[in-house]
Amino acid sequence: MIRVLILGTGGMANAHAEAYAAMDGVCVVAGVDTDQANLSAFQDRHNVAHGFSSVSAALAWGEFDAVSNVTPDAVHHRTTMPLLAAGKHVLCEKPLATNHQDAMQMVQAARAAGVVNMVNLTYRNVPALMHAANLVARGDIGEVRHFEASYLQSWLTQDAWGDWRTEDQWLWRLSTGHGSLGVLGDVGVHILDYTTFAAGSDAQQVSCRLQTFAKADGDHIGPYRLDANDSMTMHLALQNGAIGVIHASRFASGHINDLKLRLFGTIGGLEVRFEAEESVLRACLGEDLKTGRWTEISTPQVKTNFARFIDAIRGETTVQPDFCRGAALQRVLELAVASNTDSFCNQVV
């Protein structure tokens, strides 16, 4: 039996607990949260016997093998490091850390401990994306030359997920003081991984524009200063020579949670869509290039990150995306922020 502890028991923790509960030979044995109300509700909902207010208290108990870290971004580093030192396997929510230096410390600590380490980049669970990456690696579209990708959300213009003006689970994402890197760190990291993973190449150069829009009087709601970026546009050059654009926004009215990627190679093209929790892969290959005809390709189901994390603990597979991947993505995010200066472009007027 693999015993899992859930660290951070807010909304996302429920998805983690439900995923583990559905697996044979896995049991969620404890939760950790500084918010007693969240912790108690989580324990009741998932029938979890043990609850702790700190990582140190949970480690003093010690009766667990692996951890899902579902805490806010700003505390990923300081909550994960003692777990690694104690030899616990860790699946950490994205982004791995709020800066590259912290992320690399986590990579090194995981290596030293010899434990399974994974970043929960959830769109690695999308069948169309995983199959597209396989087709690119197989050479079906030739050499990748160009790409375009987007991750669009609308929770700042519609309340499909709740009212961000009154709910802390959304407000912290809008505040750098609460550890948020804005849309760039929250969903930009997903579409960056989505794109470079499918293209089979890491980023080599990046330039980015970030925009924060006025959303409340004085740009404050309670203790939250609303200063994190809401929209981003990024230009990327990849190590394989391909170039393209990525953009993301929380102001994409009409798009609750939609991702799109188009890859263009020397002998074909691919389009990956993830909308309304469904993924579709389309391709233009072979003779269809003459007419520009795109057809849908069936995609095999894939194991979730949670399942692959558990498989790796059992020694049945290696695991990706690991902390090293998370740190590499964090480096690109830092360079993207650095590029967002007035000197980045000449003013037109």
Side-chain angles (χ1 to χ4, degrees):
M1 178 67 68
I2 294 177
R3 303 163 299 171
V4 179
L5 177 145
I6 307 292
L7 173 56
T9 58
M12 281 296 296
N14 294 309
H16 287 239
E18 289 164 5
Y20 294 124
M23 299 179 200
D24 292 333
V26 180
C27 181
V28 176
V29 295
V32 177
D33 206 309
T34 56
D35 186 319
Q36 185 58 52
N38 277 353
L39 179 58
S40 295
F42 174 82
Q43 288 182 256
D44 290 344
R45 178 172 179 174
H46 300 287
N47 194 29
V48 174
H50 300 280
F52 304 94
S53 61
S54 67
V55 172
S56 59
L59 285 172
W61 173 63
E63 300 298 317
F64 59 99
D65 309 298
V67 180
S68 263
N69 189 338
V70 204
T71 58
D73 301 355
V75 297
H76 286 175
H77 173 262
R78 70 171 181 259
T79 55
T80 296
M81 291 297 282
L83 296 169
L84 298 175
K88 305 299 183 181
H89 307 290
V90 179
L91 169 65
C92 185
E93 273 297 334
K94 56 77 202 167
L96 182 59
T98 55
N99 61 73
H100 184 248
Q101 181 178 351
D102 284 353
M104 284 306 301
Q105 286 183 2
M106 295 166 75
V107 170
Q108 292 158 5
R111 286 175 178 167
V115 296
V116 174
N117 56 96
M118 190 173 186
V119 183
N120 191 31
L121 293 161
T122 54
Y123 296 101
R124 294 289 187 99
N125 301 332
V126 173
L129 175 70
M130 301 302 283
H131 195 51
N134 290 335
L135 296 181
V136 171
R138 198 170 70 185
D140 285 27
I141 68 169
E143 297 181 23
V144 180
R145 291 287 189 250
H146 191 82
F147 57 87
E148 57 185 39
S150 62
Y151 190 155
L152 303 177
Q153 293 182 335
S154 57
W155 56 266
L156 286 174
T157 65
Q158 58 194 93
D159 62 356
W161 293 349
D163 184 1
W164 63 267
R165 297 172 182 83
T166 60
E167 298 180 20
D168 291 351
Q169 64 173 320
W170 306 116
L171 281 167
W172 79 264
R173 299 173 189 272
L174 306 177
S175 174
T176 60
H178 288 76
S180 177
L181 192 57
V183 75
L184 177 65
D186 193 18
V187 305
V189 67
H190 277 307
I191 198 64
L192 177 62
D193 178 67
Y194 204 83
T195 302
T196 55
F197 170 66
S201 182
D202 290 334
Q204 184 174 62
Q205 293 179 313
V206 58
S207 59
C208 185
R209 296 301 283 177
L210 304 170
Q211 186 66 46
T212 306
F213 299 98
K215 297 178 286 296
D217 291 343
D219 294 322
H220 274 87
I221 295 179
Y224 299 94
R225 177 171 176 77
L226 309 184
D227 59 348
N229 58 85
D230 302 309
S231 290
M232 74 91 171
T233 59
M234 181 186 294
H235 178 274
L236 277 177
L238 304 186
Q239 293 175 10
N240 65 6
I243 64 169
V245 292
I246 295 173
H247 66 99
S249 182
R250 293 168 171 153
F251 274 99
S253 299
H255 291 273
I256 294 175
N257 192 63
D258 297 341
L259 292 83
K260 181 179 178 181
L261 168 65
R262 302 178 77 192
L263 294 167
F264 305 105
T266 51
I267 60 171
L270 297 172
E271 179 181 84
V272 182
R273 288 179 176 267
F274 182 77
E275 299 172 345
E277 300 300 316
E278 296 290 338
S279 74
V280 174
L281 176 61
R282 299 173 68 239
C284 184
L285 302 167
E287 290 298 312
D288 286 342
L289 290 172
K290 295 179 181 179
T291 59
R293 179 174 178 265
W294 290 74
T295 58
E296 186 172 328
I297 296 177
S298 62
T299 57
Q301 289 300 306
V302 297
K303 287 189 173 184
T304 67
N305 287 343
F306 303 111
R308 289 186 289 114
F309 177 57
I310 296 299
D311 285 350
I313 292 171
R314 290 172 171 155
E316 297 173 3
T317 183
T318 57
V319 68
Q320 284 290 337
D322 61 6
F323 280 12
C324 190
R325 174 63 172 176
L329 293 170
Q330 191 64 40
R331 176 61 175 158
V332 178
L333 297 185
E334 285 192 0
L335 293 173
V337 172
S339 74
N340 182 49
T341 65
D342 289 341
S343 62
F344 171 81
C345 64
N346 294 320
Q347 297 293 326
V348 177
V349 293

